Amino acid sequence: MAVLIYGGLGHVGSWVARKLIDQGQEVIIFDMGAARFSSLGLDYLEEVRDSITLESVDVLDSHTMIEMALKYRDKIDAIVFGVAVIAGPTFKDRPFRNVSINTMGLLNALEVARILGVPKFVNLSSGAVYGDRPGGQTEDTPFTVTDLYGATKVANEVLATQYGATYGFDVRNARLYFVYGPGKRPEIMHPLYQAMFGPLAGMSDVHSANGGDQELDWTHVEDTAAGILALLNAEGMNGEAVNISCGVAYQHRDIVDRVAKLLGKESGMTLGPGPFTPRGAPLDISKAQSKLGFAPKYANIDAGLADYKTWLDKDPR
Ligand SMILES: NC(=O)c1ccc[n+]([C@@H]2O[C@H](COP(=O)([O-])OP(=O)(O)OC[C@H]3O[C@@H](n4cnc5c(N)ncnc54)[C@H](O)[C@@H]3O)[C@@H](O)[C@H]2O)c1
């Protein structure tokens, strides 16, 4: 039996795929980037390429998606939905397209689960469902929407949970937060990410217009993926949402300083005042710890930064 990962070539999905394969699980990936696989620089997936069934699928093309899913109809015992346009300053520039990918894309994947009778569905959600509420948000903190991306995440949780309840399949929502690490090159990211993590890839002199006065629980991607796998595999979590982050908030200017210390030099990175995004931190991860046995390996960000540097130094592009 196999796990179907939508967005399995993305930052988070690719690590979920790798960890599932390491556990001996069969993996099918539906991702619009499939044709570009060999140029994505995902060395940890290339190592296990023979164990992956990879299909080029656009989540907005529901007919092709269902036809493709029917090819594997008796094999899929779980779906992980990780396609999204992620939060960032440009999300609002193309609202119809971005909301469609996130929410119509999810709806199409839920239809696959319904039509094929897939018993389990994990929706990759976000701490964005708490909007700008202050840190320490638990899974019982009410939904608060402070941007369009957050609106798609709230809508998706409600839709996914209700689809499961209506059609009798198990739905779980993994609320992720601010992921960094191997698989993502800083050069393709927004200025705040570049200013914090870019020096690890040799970048210098980036100015982020904001973010300097904010602290967030930046989470190493392998911890994020480990939490998702724990949620996927846990017994008795039907209908539950779980916060998955490192659980420790770091001030953004502190991250810049820690990177400089790791490298032994300053890289001329500057952060303007105010928050980068309307979010509080850190998420309360006690539910993941107690119900899933989740224990982030990189709760100390210095260890996560060193690991990220090791991957960037290899430059697997
Ligand atoms: N990265 C973060 O910091 C973060 C934080 C909280 C939640 N999340 C959530 O985690 C999930 C995964 O995020 P990520 O960082 O891996 O994103 P990502 O951008 O790295 O990956 C998204 C993947 O979806 C694919 N994709 C995009 N549009 C598609 C389409 N129309 N059809 C098919 N495939 C398409 C892309 O090719 C890519 O491989 C998302 O749901 C995101 O909202 C991420």
Side-chain angles (χ1 to χ4, degrees):
M1 297 300 278
V3 178
L4 168 58
I5 308 174
Y6 284 83
L9 299 183
H11 193 212
V12 174
S14 59
W15 276 106
V16 171
R18 173 60 199 249
K19 287 183 181 296
L20 282 169
I21 289 164
D22 288 347
Q23 288 183 354
Q25 186 78 47
E26 201 171 329
V27 166
I28 302 167
I29 290 176
F30 282 4
D31 195 298
M32 213 165 66
R36 291 182 287 113
F37 176 70
S38 55
S39 66
L40 295 175
L42 305 176
D43 54 332
Y44 50 91
L45 266 198
E46 285 170 17
E47 287 164 14
V48 295
R49 175 68 185 88
D50 291 348
S51 306
I52 302 167
T53 302
L54 180 57
E55 301 281 11
S56 181
V57 172
D58 180 346
V59 292
L60 294 180
D61 178 359
S62 51
H63 294 276
T64 308
M65 189 205 290
I66 288 171
E67 275 170 18
M68 198 64 86
L70 284 170
K71 268 173 65 178
Y72 305 102
R73 70 175 314 153
D74 298 320
K75 284 188 90 169
I76 305 167
D77 56 359
I79 289 175
V80 174
F81 186 77
V83 166
V85 178
I86 63 170
T90 58
F91 191 96
K92 65 179 187 306
D93 295 347
R94 300 181 75 187
F96 186 82
R97 171 185 174 272
N98 296 342
V99 172
S100 297
I101 290 171
N102 288 12
T103 296
M104 287 306 298
L106 171 92
L107 194 56
N108 285 330
L110 290 168
E111 278 291 276
V112 166
R114 180 183 71 82
I115 292 166
L116 270 64
V118 178
K120 195 187 281 184
F121 193 104
V122 176
N123 169 39
L124 301 191
S125 183
S126 168
V129 300
Y130 306 120
D132 59 357
R133 284 183 182 263
Q137 311 94 318
T138 72
E139 291 79 357
D140 295 329
T141 299
F143 286 149
T144 305
V145 174
T146 45
D147 54 19
L148 272 178
Y149 170 82
T152 68
K153 289 311 195 185
V154 169
N156 282 12
E157 283 205 16
V158 174
L159 278 170
T161 307
Q162 196 54 45
Y163 245 75
T166 305
Y167 299 107
F169 58 92
D170 180 322
V171 171
R172 300 148 186 226
N173 293 296
R175 294 180 180 163
L176 319 180
Y177 227 32
F178 298 97
V179 184
Y180 74 94
K184 182 174 272 180
R185 294 216 51 99
E187 293 90 338
I188 62 159
M189 291 299 291
H190 51 73
L192 174 64
Y193 192 99
Q194 291 183 356
M196 292 192 299
F197 303 109
L200 300 172
M203 297 178 73
S204 59
D205 302 312
V206 175
H207 175 67
S208 171
N210 51 34
D213 297 326
Q214 193 167 28
E215 57 173 35
L216 292 170
D217 27 341
W218 287 87
T219 303
H220 189 287
V221 66
E222 287 202 57
D223 282 336
T224 304
I228 294 165
L229 253 67
L231 179 60
L232 173 69
N233 293 329
E235 297 291 330
M237 295 297 285
N238 185 13
E240 302 269 353
V242 182
N243 292 339
I244 293 170
S245 87
C246 74
V248 182
Y250 287 91
Q251 226 265 342
H252 291 156
R253 288 201 180 92
D254 181 33
I255 295 177
V256 172
D257 291 345
R258 285 168 186 266
V259 168
K261 192 170 167 211
L262 176 67
L263 296 174
K265 62 170 187 181
E266 299 289 335
S267 299
M269 301 307 200
T270 52
L271 306 184
F276 166 69
T277 187
R279 305 279 187 270
L283 300 183
D284 182 320
I285 58 167
S286 52
K287 183 174 177 182
Q289 289 168 320
S290 65
K291 293 213 167 187
L292 308 179
F294 176 58
K297 193 171 150 192
Y298 298 104
N300 178 340
I301 199 168
D302 293 325
L305 294 172
D307 181 76
Y308 194 10
K309 179 179 182 310
T310 302
W311 182 80
L312 288 165
D313 284 349
K314 279 193 290 179
D315 197 357
R317 286 172 295 179

